[in-house]
Amino acid sequence: FTSALLLRCVERGTLDLDTPILRYSSAIPEPGATVRHVFTHTSEGTPGRMYRYNGDRYGALTAVVEACSGSSIRELFRDMLDRAAMQDSVPGHDLEENVDAISLFDEVTLRRYRQTLARITKPYKLDSRGRVVGSAYPPKGINASAGLVSTAHDLALYDQSLASHLFISSASQE
């Protein structure tokens, strides 16, 4: 989702991937690290030298997406979910406690999100005895790397949306 948003900004001319990431976030301390380095998971150590997946670092792209689009990441994800008809996905599982998030949605949409969160599979883990027990969702909130809640069916809809170039052009996707 974040990569499509970043590439949409590139298409619109509001983002250059070779801009230093420090322009947007101090979370990536490496001198010379660019948005492209964080985007491609090559920002650690000497930027551009090696690939190392790190979701926490990818989260720094939240500030980039918000700056180049002029909207919050939650609003942008909501719009993507709507455009792709992903009715069983929610832009963040923190809607019950986050007053700022609640204010972004009309009552019908909030009700749908709450119903989705109530019925989808909950996280689980194995306890010390090997039994399956309920687990907490990852940290609450939403950013460029985490927080979107979805179903396998809706992710298939997202895949179809990417294949039909609903969000970005075929050239950008390539």
Side-chain angles (χ1 to χ4, degrees), residues 129-141:
R129 296 181 187 164
R131 295 178 299 183
V132 175
V133 296
S135 176
Y137 277 107
K140 298 229 176 189

Side-chain angles (χ1 to χ4, degrees), residues 44-132:
E44 291 189 57
T46 302
R49 283 211 114 143
M50 73 172 193
Y51 171 86
R52 182 167 182 220
Y53 175 81
N54 185 325
D56 290 334
R57 291 173 77 86
Y58 202 81
L61 294 172
T62 305
V64 178
V65 169
E66 291 179 344
C68 72
S69 69
S71 297
S72 74
I73 195 118
R74 193 183 303 266
E75 291 172 292
L76 295 164
F77 285 165
R78 176 202 61 204
D79 293 345
M80 291 176 82
L81 298 176
D82 289 349
R83 288 182 68 199
M86 297 172 68
Q87 295 293 303
D88 293 322
S89 298
V90 180
H93 57 87
D94 61 340
L95 294 177
E96 297 301 323
E97 323 64 54
N98 189 323
V99 176
D100 293 333
I102 291 172
S103 68
L104 297 175
F105 308 107
D106 61 50
E107 198 52 47
V108 171
T109 302
L110 270 176
R111 186 172 32 258
R112 186 181 87 230
Y113 288 161
R114 288 176 176 142
Q115 289 170 345
T116 297
L117 289 171
R119 78 170 185 281
I120 64 174
T121 302
K122 303 295 183 258
Y124 61 89
K125 64 181 179 180
L126 294 176
D127 70 9
S128 60
R129 296 181 187 164
R131 295 178 299 183
V132 175

